[in-house]
Amino acid sequence: MEENEDVSRSWFSTNVRLVCLIEDQGSVRSMECVHVFRSSGWESAFQRALELGRTHEESFVNVDGERVKWVLAEIVSLDFLRTNELNGAEVYSATTDVLPEGVVPFDHYFRPEESDPTQSV
């Protein structure tokens, strides 16, 4: 976004990445979700991206009795949109398996608030 862009109550989109962690296995898959929303500025848009990403977090015990949790791992992108039509709806989501070299332990602590999102548009 350019420095002089007017972002007062503007539209933004964010792509957030969540990771599924299973006890004794660590990370097994990830999911990316895209949300569109209004915000009054860049910092408030980043905070809103964190809030939207955390709406996908959950934990439960699977059928094998293992603890499972989906956690927000990263704000992948945050974009200022030049439009007047849209509202905070998720518009894209996908899950993928985690490759062996990307496995993190079940108790790994993610810090999504330290993300440095790119701009994809």
Side-chain angles (χ1 to χ4, degrees):
M1 183 175 71
E2 295 178 18
E3 282 296 316
N4 56 3
E5 293 277 6
D6 178 16
V7 295
S8 59
R9 296 302 300 155
S10 296
W11 290 103
F12 289 82
S13 69
T14 188
N15 180 1
V16 299
R17 179 176 295 125
L18 291 100
V19 174
C20 179
L21 302 162
I22 299 178
E23 190 174 25
D24 297 329
Q25 293 182 51
S27 56
V28 294
R29 63 182 40 95
S30 65
M31 174 173 64
E32 290 191 13
C33 304
V34 175
H35 291 270
V36 178
F37 58 95
R38 282 189 182 262
S39 188
S40 61
W42 193 255
E43 184 55 37
S44 62
F46 182 77
Q47 293 304 314
R48 181 69 173 133
L50 287 169
E51 290 172 13
L52 290 167
R54 287 188 172 120
T55 65
H56 298 281
E57 292 185 322
E58 65 176 319
S59 59
F60 55 91
V61 176
N62 68 15
V63 295
D64 296 324
E66 300 167 308
R67 293 184 305 154
V68 177
K69 59 184 178 181
W70 280 95
V71 295
L72 177 62
E74 180 182 9
I75 306 300
V76 176
S77 66
L78 182 61
D79 295 304
F80 170 68
L81 303 178
R82 291 166 178 82
T83 184
N84 291 323
E85 301 286 327
L86 297 175
N87 200 359
E90 180 181 340
V91 295
Y92 173 79
S93 179
T95 60
T96 58
D97 289 336
V98 173
L99 297 175
E101 61 271 13
V103 172
V104 297
F106 180 80
D107 292 322
H108 180 80
Y109 180 73
F110 291 98
R111 292 177 176 81
E113 58 277 355
E114 294 177 11
S115 299
D116 186 17
T118 63
Q119 291 184 300
S120 59
V121 290

